[in-house]
Amino acid sequence: MASLLAFLRHLGNLCQKEFLAILKDPASRVILVVPPLLQSLLFGYGATFDLTNVPYAVVDQSRSQESTELLARLDGTGVFHRVATLQSSSQIASVIDSGNALLVVHFASDFANQLAAGTPAPLQVILDGRNSTTAGTAAGQIRAVVAAFNASQTGLAAPPVKVIPRTWFNPNQETRWSILPGLIAGLSMMQTMMLAALSVAREREQGTFDQLLVTPYTPLEIMIGKALPSIAIGLLQSALILLVSLFWFQIPMAGHVLTLAVGLLGFTIAVVGIGLSVSAVSANMQQAMLYTFVLLMPLVLLSGLATPVKNMPQAMQIATYANPLRFAIDLVRRVYLEGAGLHAVWTDFIPFACIAALTLPLAAWLFRHRLA
């Protein structure tokens, strides 16, 4: 009994020592509380598959009372928000390609006549299949609205309105088609940021970074020398995921490989800039890994990879403009599935350039600051 008590007392002393070591550091106290609190809020607001905001456009060539009533039912759900009223079907491609509308509702010119004749009137719904989960959920909600409209039409043997869905860029609405192109950017970001974050922290922990700073190399040259290998590895990983998507899962690529490569290069430079900034402020590898993990979770969650950005609260949608992964996923999906060229995705390069212009000089300044 005495030996058991002695063992428990020793164990208690060791636990007390570890708790004191963890809690006496102000940075550790912040890390224990702030990341789980922020991540729980982000998951609560951002990781939702409930469709709460569906921007859509209308091509109403019927201009009848029936089409007006059906559109009023859509608008009355509080989920569907009309962003454009198109005059002809030739305008559909631009509003879908730009991402301004998730779907387009098309009423043919003889819509009301077919209803009056007692024959099923087709209602064409064109969906953006680049996010198959969202498109499928939106199509299901439209079917529910149309079913309620059909139920209100009495005295008809068959449902008067028949929904004809047509999905662009992903005809079978396969989830893999929307997930894997996004992973070309997402998975490479995780590895690239971790490599860049550990590059300086590893040398600082081993004691070789101070020796590097006293060499004739300038902080800018050191930063570039640290950045280039991480950029090359990031592009190589993106290429591997691209090959898996193309040849193993056989997801056809509509765009040009060169356009995709240029976009991924800009994205990887921005990610390496973030990683080097993290590495420059980290005293050791443990801190660098922890800071990187804290950053990666919000970046992935707020990227639109799994859940649409437009479903998030307005404040979080604004915060996603500082997330390079959001624009990288948009660029990769548009080039891969839509076949967009540089002239169509050039706006996605603006966040990459801004983030790189901020983080890379910051990392160089932090190198110089530590030298001073």
Side-chain angles (χ1 to χ4, degrees):
M1 188 66 181
S3 60
L4 177 61
L5 291 175
F7 171 77
L8 293 176
R9 184 169 61 254
H10 292 165
L11 187 61
N13 291 335
L14 289 173
C15 291
Q16 181 182 11
K17 169 187 171 298
E18 291 301 319
F19 276 118
L20 290 175
I22 294 172
L23 297 176
K24 73 176 182 179
D25 183 12
S28 298
R29 293 198 297 267
V30 172
I31 290 172
L32 288 174
V33 177
V34 175
L37 180 62
L38 290 178
Q39 289 172 8
S40 62
L41 292 174
L42 289 174
F43 270 99
Y45 285 110
T48 173
F49 290 96
D50 298 330
L51 210 57
T52 59
N53 181 17
V54 180
Y56 78 101
V58 175
V59 181
D60 188 3
Q61 296 176 326
S62 172
R63 293 183 173 85
S64 61
Q65 179 181 351
E66 291 80 5
S67 63
T68 303
E69 180 184 349
L70 191 49
L71 288 174
R73 288 175 178 265
L74 279 178
D75 295 332
T77 61
V79 174
F80 294 89
H81 301 95
R82 194 185 310 184
V83 295
T85 300
L86 310 180
Q87 301 303 317
S88 66
S89 57
S90 62
Q91 298 174 306
I92 295 176
S94 60
V95 75
I96 291 289
D97 291 348
S98 63
N100 293 330
L102 177 65
L103 58 91
V104 175
V105 178
H106 181 204
F107 294 91
S109 57
D110 59 347
F111 180 79
N113 294 334
Q114 288 183 320
L115 288 178
T119 59
L123 173 64
Q124 187 180 44
V125 178
I126 299 172
L127 301 161
D128 183 356
R130 287 171 293 190
N131 192 326
S132 59
T133 302
T134 306
T137 305
Q141 294 197 13
I142 288 183
R143 289 191 183 95
V145 172
V146 171
F149 175 82
N150 289 338
S152 67
Q153 308 298 309
T154 59
L156 296 175
V161 179
K162 182 180 180 182
V163 177
I164 308 295
R166 180 185 174 190
T167 306
W168 284 8
F169 315 126
N170 187 356
N172 298 322
Q173 293 188 14
E174 295 186 29
T175 306
R176 185 180 294 135
W177 281 38
S178 60
I179 293 295
L180 278 174
L183 291 180
I184 294 174
L187 291 180
S188 65
M189 183 197 72
M190 297 180 187
Q191 300 294 331
T192 304
M193 186 179 293
M194 184 66 71
L195 285 173
L198 292 177
S199 60
V200 177
R202 182 188 301 107
E203 292 206 38
R204 184 172 287 122
E205 185 173 324
Q206 294 172 350
T208 59
F209 187 67
D210 291 336
Q211 299 175 9
L212 184 62
L213 288 175
V214 297
T215 61
Y217 296 104
T218 65
L220 178 61
E221 291 172 336
I222 295 174
M223 181 203 67
I224 295 175
K226 294 287 186 183
L228 288 179
S230 298
I231 292 172
I233 293 173
L235 292 176
L236 178 60
Q237 290 179 334
S238 296
L240 290 175
I241 303 169
L242 173 63
L243 292 175
V244 170
S245 303
L246 281 172
F247 299 109
W248 182 262
F249 293 105
Q250 298 182 348
I251 302 174
M253 182 174 179
H256 201 283
V257 175
L258 182 60
T259 304
L260 186 61
V262 172
L264 289 173
L265 175 61
F267 167 65
T268 307
I269 292 173
V271 170
V272 168
I274 297 174
L276 287 176
S277 299
V278 170
S279 188
V281 300
S282 302
N284 50 54
M285 294 176 63
Q286 183 179 4
Q287 283 189 7
M289 294 179 65
L290 184 59
Y291 294 158
T292 304
F293 175 76
V294 171
L295 279 176
L296 283 175
M297 290 296 292
L299 290 178
V300 173
L301 188 61
L302 298 178
S303 65
L305 178 62
T307 57
V309 173
K310 291 182 180 179
N311 267 17
M312 302 175 188
Q314 189 64 32
M316 285 193 176
Q317 292 187 36
I318 296 173
T320 59
Y321 285 102
N323 183 1
L325 185 57
R326 171 190 173 174
F327 300 95
I329 289 175
D330 176 74
L331 184 147
V332 172
R333 282 176 174 170
R334 294 189 65 185
V335 173
Y336 196 110
L337 298 175
E338 178 187 330
L342 284 175
H343 65 281
V345 297
W346 68 269
T347 54
D348 289 327
F349 286 86
I350 298 175
F352 301 157
C354 292
I355 293 171
L358 176 65
T359 56
L360 291 174
L362 175 63
W365 181 85
L366 289 171
F367 295 160
R368 190 183 306 112
H369 181 71
R370 285 192 176 273
L371 178 59

